[in-house]
Amino acid sequence: MSEAGGGPGCGFPVPQRAPWSLVAATAALCLVSATSVWTAGAAPMSREEKQKLGNQVLEMFDHAYGNYMEHAYPADELMPLTCRGRVRGQEPSRGDVDDALGKFSLTLIDSLDTLVVLNKTKEFEDAVRKVLRDVNLDNDVVVSVFETNIRVLGGLLGGHSLAIMLKEKGEYMQWYNDELLQMAKQLGYKLLPAFNTTSGLPYPRINLKFGIRKPEARTGTETDTCTACAGTLILEFAALSRFTGATIFEEYARKALDFLWEKRQRSSNLVGVTINIHTGDWVRKDSGVGAGIDSYYEYLLKAYVLLGDDSFLERFNTHYDAIMRYISQPPLLLDVHIHKPMLNARTWMDALLAFFPGLQVLKGDIRPAIETHEMLYQVIKKHNFLPEAFTTDFRVHWAQHPLRPEFAESTYFLYKATGDPYYLEVGKTLIENLNKYARVPCGFAAMKDVRTGSHEDRMDSFFLAEMFKYLYLLFADKEDIIFDIEDYIFTTEAHLLPLWLSTTNQSMSKKNTTSEYTELDDSNFDWTCPNTQILFPNDPLYAQSIREPLKNVVDKSCPRGIIRVEESFRSGAKPPLRARDFMATNPEHLEILKKMGAASSIDAEDGLRFMQEMIELSSQQQKEQQLPPRAVQIVSHPFFGRVVLTAGPAQFGLDLSKHKETRGFVASSKPYNGCSELTNPEAVMGKIALIQRGQCMFAEKARNIQNAGAIGGIVIDDNEGSSSDTAPLFQMAGDGKDTDDIKIPMLFLFSKEGSIILDAIREYEEVEVLLSDKAKDRDPEMENEEQPSSENDSQNQSAEQMTSISQEIDLIDQESLEETSLNSHPESLSPADTDNAASVSPSEQNSNPAENHETTSLDGECTDLDNQLQEQSETEEDSSPNVSWGKKVQPIDSILADWNEDIEAFEMMEKDEL
Ligand code: DMJ
């Protein structure tokens, strides 16, 4: 990392028409830290403490990478709960998520340059040899062009960049002869057929062996792609062209970017989320900085940095201006419609937007970066991780968290820009939470539900590519890294590309630069780079003063979240009627309702929002009748509470959200289906009985195990291969009669989660679990016993594999397992049909009543955020854009037609993968 105080050029206007290399280098240097400036605010962190945290990151990486190599390689990814490799086709399909997996040892390739950043040069050398020896890029697999580009092509190029750096240093990689680059080139050619469209936008998927549109390819019929999918190629493709001299890659990526730029919505300068690759029509007209668009913006700015091409900066600045005008409502970033950018398209944000503060640092706009980052940190402090989506009033909208690195990335960039030790403390919290809640004996598991703390059998490759890099670099001093990180730019997957590429083979791409940009409008250029000494001139408390008002933003937010800034422009006007406040008996409310859509565009807008909110509210109420997921936490050796399984609740029996959790050893019931009086009451007495689904009602099973003295029950699905990774939450219905006699808690596990417990019994004999609404912190004594450290991790690992001493053997009756493996589910035929009544889709899992309770208490402080926005809008009124579309009075019919379209879009969004 650079020395404190800034590098050459920072803080001074970059001369116009500067040589490309200078521009690129200067932009990269804009991230210089200001550590020496910092004298107040968060206490400085000592070098020892930083080193300790850096070592902890190294140990965590070893745990993740070591388990991948030992238990999963050459598979694409590790499944950390079942401790095996994820091989596509061998596991139930997870839909689009699986398109990243091409049977090309994805995690190994994605980890290559991380090994060098973390000083594991020897391991890097081994890993490169393995890639060259084992990886086949010619598999008959349909993969995502975007994911293959950022993870595999980027991984190979990052590996190549650092391999040649090491070779030049003269110690390691002396045998290296551009083999990774040759593989990258081979892969590049494999991706090119995807660009065979009239628009030049790539198809979203390609068959690695057969390309596109041939019958064998099984792909090429798609019509749409996401903006980020088409707009996140230029760094890798240009690097490939410049490394190899083959210009075609850079040309194709430029053409796709040119097309997207042409298609921007001209009045708002925003782009939609998905686009038709043949016609160029926007398919989804909502626009934000998160899922579907995120790295398109990132690559415009970074393409300028890497390639020194002004047109990219101009485009970025134009979009950035629009983002700050319409999408940014500090601290929030909210999607809007590209044609009606003053109209919010969502009432929730997705986790991918957490990269944006980091990009704002690169752009030099520190203030909103600090604000959004702080807001995100408050959400993390509440849920330990950033849920995949959360509402404007900070409730969980989509509870998953696949160990995404974006927040760590922004934390790193903010630390570099401000030198504020506060960001080191933030990084420390991230490390603690990962170890405490995501670490499992065989790696790190994604969170299935941040509210229950339950896990998913998934460790994505980006966790190794990005998370460990950013966390390690956060605590590292310059001398801790064997090369100068400032000489490289990070791709969206945190792969490193050298800045010297800006001056290599550049002439080949220049001829393709759109003529539109030969004459630049310099007014759109911010030629200065952020200077931390100017940003924090004599006030080291600057960043803290920006964060301070946001400290309680999550806890004190008003349940209906934000109001749009423009609402407050209507000075003196009454606040609009919100759906949640509406009372049919209130004459004033009825009067307002009548006016909506009739008098003015403002009333019409209120009407639209009102209707939208009504729909949301009613679907919310429906969802709230569903019970939230529960957790089964394995607390005995060697799990010690680390493995948390997502469990479906029961509509009868002990309510775990109201009562204390139930803890006990598990025992299989006989008969295993639990449909008659148990023949082994002595085995289940005082224990949690395992019962297989099927052949009778859930309530009947509960009664039978209760009569045998069980203190709880876990019903395990008999549909082999079912898993909470792929199936919606399942809840067990009663039998349509009074179930008050059932006093014990009952939970449901899909077959895969159930088999984790059954496997544990086979291996460790005594397995103790905790049934609860939310995973509990681990037993501190056990925690100490298992405290990871870089020195003894391998010992811990082998200790973890050890079988505990058996005290009481309670093996599963294999015979009854087999005999009851039936497909029929009589319980699902009853009026309380669980299959029909109990499925809740992942996007619908936002109905945790406890959580709603937390955020719906309206006290005097709950309007803080609204007030902040109000205050902010008062000071920003003059500079805020006027809403030109708002001046027209739109007929109600057309408003309703538009609105219907919007509702459809909302529904589509709900279904979308992030
Ligand atoms: C990564 O693969 C990349 O950062 C990508 O741009 C989007 N997000 C994932 C990680 O969350």
Side-chain angles (χ1 to χ4, degrees):
M1 281 180 219
S2 299
E3 293 303 322
C10 210
F12 302 101
V14 176
Q16 295 197 4
R17 307 288 182 264
W20 308 122
S21 57
L22 178 60
V23 174
T26 308
L29 285 165
C30 289
L31 296 175
V32 164
S33 73
T35 38
S36 66
V37 180
W38 200 260
T39 54
M45 191 178 273
S46 68
R47 171 102 173 112
E48 292 68 43
E49 172 82 345
K50 282 170 72 182
Q51 271 172 346
K52 197 174 130 212
L53 289 162
N55 286 337
Q56 227 178 318
V57 177
L58 293 177
E59 184 279 330
M60 290 163 72
F61 175 81
D62 288 345
H63 182 64
Y65 182 73
N67 274 294
Y68 165 72
M69 290 308 286
E70 188 177 344
H71 301 289
Y73 181 78
D76 283 316
E77 284 179 347
L78 171 72
M79 296 171 71
L81 296 183
T82 44
C83 206
R84 60 175 199 261
R86 182 181 293 282
V87 179
R88 214 166 148 191
Q90 286 179 20
E91 301 296 327
S93 166
R94 299 173 300 167
D96 292 352
V97 182
D98 284 341
D99 289 344
L101 314 176
K103 299 189 175 178
F104 36 34
S105 303
L106 177 66
T107 301
L108 179 66
I109 294 178
D110 228 2
S111 303
L112 286 178
D113 51 9
T114 306
L115 289 165
V116 185
V117 172
L118 270 54
N119 263 324
K120 296 179 177 294
T121 326
K122 178 77 191 58
E123 289 89 335
F124 172 71
E125 195 145 8
D126 290 348
V128 174
R129 286 189 200 278
K130 284 199 174 73
V131 170
L132 301 180
R133 188 191 65 196
D134 300 341
V135 172
N136 177 14
L137 297 173
D138 198 40
N139 301 310
D140 178 11
V141 189
V142 175
V143 292
S144 150
V145 171
F146 165 78
E147 297 290 0
T148 307
N149 173 59
I150 65 168
R151 304 199 202 192
V152 187
L153 188 57
L156 293 169
L157 291 169
H160 170 70
S161 303
L162 297 189
I164 54 177
M165 177 277 295
L166 288 170
K167 186 176 180 182
E168 203 176 299
K169 279 182 180 281
E171 193 182 345
Y172 292 96
M173 301 300 289
Q174 295 307 302
W175 53 271
Y176 182 70
N177 213 6
D178 291 353
E179 290 88 344
L180 290 176
L181 182 60
Q182 293 318 315
M183 280 184 81
K185 195 170 169 187
Q186 186 197 349
L187 182 60
Y189 279 117
K190 282 189 168 295
L191 296 180
L192 284 188
F195 292 79
N196 192 9
T197 57
T198 42
S199 65
L201 298 179
Y203 281 96
R205 293 180 196 85
I206 195 159
N207 185 305
L208 285 173
K209 192 179 183 71
F210 297 110
I212 292 276
R213 303 204 72 162
K214 299 187 199 93
E216 324 82 284
R218 306 187 303 280
T219 191
T221 50
E222 302 94 337
T223 52
D224 310 334
T225 197
C226 74
T227 301
C229 302
T232 311
L233 298 150
I234 186 71
L235 293 187
E236 294 81 2
F237 274 45
L240 185 56
S241 283
R242 292 178 181 220
F243 271 131
T244 61
T247 56
I248 189 164
F249 304 109
E250 184 168 340
E251 282 164 22
Y252 276 37
R254 277 177 182 266
K255 200 172 155 210
L257 276 181
D258 289 348
F259 189 83
L260 288 175
W261 173 245
E262 280 299 308
K263 290 292 167 186
R264 74 194 182 280
Q265 211 288 324
R266 296 295 174 126
S267 56
S268 66
N269 281 320
L270 293 171
V271 288
V273 173
T274 51
I275 188 166
N276 185 304
I277 53 176
H278 305 298
T279 63
D281 293 338
W282 290 110
V283 179
R284 269 184 48 189
K285 302 182 184 84
D286 44 314
S287 185
V289 296
I293 304 184
D294 47 5
S295 45
Y296 161 65
Y297 294 133
E298 179 184 358
Y299 270 35
L300 284 179
L301 183 56
K302 289 185 175 176
Y304 164 68
V305 174
L306 183 68
L307 309 176
D309 184 334
D310 290 353
S311 70
F312 293 129
L313 181 60
E314 186 181 23
R315 293 179 199 182
F316 175 79
N317 281 342
T318 304
H319 285 312
Y320 188 77
D321 190 49
I323 291 166
M324 297 315 283
R325 193 177 286 249
Y326 304 119
I327 293 168
S328 168
Q329 298 172 53
L332 311 182
L333 290 159
L334 269 186
D335 285 24
V336 298
H337 293 262
I338 55 176
H339 295 97
K340 299 168 201 159
M342 301 307 285
L343 189 62
N344 288 337
R346 282 180 189 172
T347 52
W348 47 273
M349 288 166 276
D350 63 64
L352 286 164
L353 61 74
F355 89 103
F356 199 68
L359 189 65
Q360 290 182 304
V361 170
L362 190 64
K363 150 86 183 151
D365 201 0
I366 309 281
R367 185 188 180 100
I370 292 172
E371 288 169 329
T372 300
H373 179 275
E374 182 59 25
M375 175 273 289
L376 295 169
Y377 188 44
Q378 297 302 324
V379 179
I380 289 173
K381 285 213 276 197
K382 186 172 169 131
H383 300 291
N384 303 321
F385 299 98
L386 204 55
E388 275 295 72
F390 52 96
T391 60
T392 49
D393 48 340
F394 308 110
R395 282 175 298 115
V396 172
H397 184 70
W398 192 354
Q400 260 180 306
H401 171 77
L403 308 181
R404 290 198 188 278
E406 283 79 2
F407 182 78
E409 173 184 354
S410 285
T411 305
Y412 165 67
F413 283 108
L414 269 168
Y415 179 63
K416 292 274 283 181
T418 64
D420 185 345
Y422 176 81
Y423 295 108
L424 297 177
E425 296 298 334
V426 173
K428 187 175 171 186
T429 305
L430 299 184
I431 290 175
E432 281 167 3
N433 288 351
L434 281 170
N435 275 326
K436 199 164 175 188
Y437 303 108
R439 190 181 180 114
V440 293
C442 191
F444 289 84
M447 305 308 292
K448 169 83 184 161
D449 189 319
V450 295
R451 297 164 304 180
T452 60
S454 60
H455 292 134
E456 197 174 345
D457 201 3
R458 158 175 187 192
M459 185 176 85
D460 288 68
S461 69
F462 53 67
F463 183 56
L464 289 97
E466 300 192 58
M467 183 72 90
F468 294 109
K469 254 184 217 135
Y470 290 124
L471 286 179
Y472 184 74
L473 289 169
L474 179 65
F475 299 105
D477 285 330
K478 198 175 169 68
E479 56 272 22
D480 297 328
I481 309 162
I482 52 177
F483 62 100
D484 191 350
I485 198 83
E486 306 289 355
D487 292 339
Y488 297 80
I489 191 159
F490 292 95
T491 68
T492 192
E493 187 79 358
H495 293 307
L496 294 172
L497 298 175
L499 287 171
W500 56 255
L501 287 174
S502 65
T503 50
T504 305
N505 285 330
Q506 54 171 323
S507 57
M508 283 175 272
S509 57
K510 284 280 170 238
K511 63 176 185 284
N512 293 296
T513 306
T514 326
S515 55
E516 192 185 332
Y517 304 105
T518 47
E519 285 305 316
L520 289 167
D521 172 9
D522 284 357
S523 64
N524 189 27
F525 276 69
D526 179 2
W527 284 101
T528 56
C529 63
N531 182 319
T532 52
Q533 298 204 345
I534 290 173
L535 283 165
F536 308 99
N538 300 308
D539 183 7
L541 293 174
Y542 176 75
Q544 198 193 1
S545 70
I546 296 172
R547 288 193 301 265
E548 206 47 46
L550 299 165
K551 279 280 178 266
N552 298 317
V553 76
V554 168
D555 289 334
K556 292 186 181 169
S557 85
C558 196
R560 266 307 300 163
I562 61 139
I563 51 167
R564 281 215 57 115
V565 171
E566 71 272 15
E567 282 173 6
S568 58
F569 295 162
R570 307 166 199 156
S571 52
K574 273 193 174 182
L577 177 62
R578 314 307 299 252
R580 68 185 308 278
D581 303 324
F582 176 74
M583 283 183 291
T585 48
N586 183 326
E588 205 189 339
H589 287 181
L590 290 174
E591 194 50 36
I592 297 172
L593 200 60
K594 264 192 226 157
K595 277 207 224 152
M596 283 178 177
S600 70
S601 63
I602 288 173
D603 290 333
E605 193 192 331
D606 288 346
L608 286 180
R609 182 186 19 243
F610 183 84
M611 286 187 279
Q612 177 191 325
E613 286 178 358
M614 270 299 190
I615 292 207
E616 282 176 3
L617 212 57
S618 85
S619 77
Q620 182 70 24
Q621 279 159 0
Q622 277 171 17
K623 287 170 199 166
E624 278 166 12
Q625 286 160 10
Q626 306 282 1
L627 294 168
R630 305 289 186 220
V632 173
Q633 190 170 12
I634 313 182
V635 292
S636 50
H637 170 91
F639 304 96
F640 300 124
R642 285 192 186 139
V643 171
V644 186
L645 306 170
T646 298
Q651 291 171 351
F652 54 87
L654 187 93
D655 181 350
L656 289 162
S657 67
K658 293 200 189 114
H659 296 81
K660 275 194 152 185
E661 67 274 5
T662 297
R663 181 175 179 149
F665 287 91
V666 292
S668 291
S669 56
K670 279 186 192 170
Y672 188 41
N673 62 29
C675 289
S676 54
E677 192 181 331
L678 297 203
T679 57
N680 64 338
E682 70 296 341
V684 299
M685 169 79 77
K687 294 191 178 165
I688 292 171
L690 301 179
I691 329 135
Q692 192 180 44
R693 182 187 183 189
Q695 293 187 299
C696 62
M697 308 292 292
F698 292 125
E700 200 179 328
K701 294 172 193 284
R703 288 191 182 101
N704 285 329
I705 60 168
Q706 181 171 278
N707 291 341
I711 56 167
I714 298 175
V715 177
I716 297 177
D717 196 5
D718 63 337
N719 288 310
E720 218 184 301
S722 69
S723 151
S724 74
D725 295 357
T726 45
L729 182 70
F730 186 85
Q731 59 183 343
M732 296 183 287
D735 54 7
K737 299 179 215 136
D738 186 2
T739 48
D740 285 354
D741 58 315
I742 302 172
K743 307 288 183 204
I744 57 173
M746 295 291 292
L747 292 181
F748 176 87
L749 289 181
F750 283 111
S751 130
K752 188 178 148 186
E753 281 79 13
S755 64
I756 290 173
I757 295 195
L758 298 176
D759 288 348
I761 297 177
R762 274 183 211 109
E763 194 159 350
Y764 305 106
E765 293 165 4
E766 289 222 314
V767 174
E768 192 180 15
V769 299
L770 191 70
L771 312 184
S772 63
D773 60 337
K774 191 176 166 88
K776 300 294 176 283
D777 282 356
R778 290 171 229 144
D779 185 335
E781 275 175 37
M782 292 172 171
E783 193 65 30
N784 292 338
E785 201 179 310
E786 282 290 297
Q787 195 63 40
S789 77
S790 45
E791 300 88 52
N792 62 10
D793 187 56
S794 52
Q795 286 98 303
N796 280 345
Q797 280 300 298
S798 47
E800 283 171 357
Q801 312 291 343
M802 270 169 42
T803 304
S804 67
I805 301 161
S806 158
Q807 289 167 354
E808 193 181 313
I809 299 177
D810 184 22
L811 288 173
I812 295 177
D813 180 342
Q814 285 297 331
E815 258 177 47
S816 30
L817 259 174
E818 279 152 30
E819 122 205 331
T820 52
S821 165
L822 298 171
N823 291 326
S824 62
H825 299 139
E827 70 265 47
S828 67
L829 302 172
S830 79
D833 181 347
T834 50
D835 282 324
N836 294 330
S839 291
V840 188
S841 76
S843 62
E844 293 170 336
Q845 294 177 16
N846 57 350
S847 56
N848 188 339
E851 191 160 83
N852 290 341
H853 175 73
E854 275 169 21
T855 50
T856 47
S857 69
L858 273 166
D859 55 29
E861 295 173 313
C862 90
T863 53
D864 274 4
L865 181 56
D866 283 358
N867 290 342
Q868 280 163 24
L869 288 163
Q870 174 85 23
E871 278 164 27
Q872 193 182 343
S873 69
E874 278 161 12
T875 56
E876 287 175 358
E877 193 165 350
D878 290 345
S879 58
S880 292
N882 214 336
V883 198
S884 56
W885 67 271
K887 288 188 181 134
K888 287 185 277 153
V889 178
Q890 235 183 319
I892 190 73
D893 285 359
S894 95
I895 292 171
L896 283 172
D898 283 358
W899 178 67
N900 268 330
E901 204 181 280
D902 295 340
I903 294 293
E904 278 166 27
F906 292 138
E907 284 169 359
M908 265 178 75
M909 272 185 264
E910 292 275 320
K911 286 188 208 136
D912 265 356
E913 293 277 346
L914 291 181

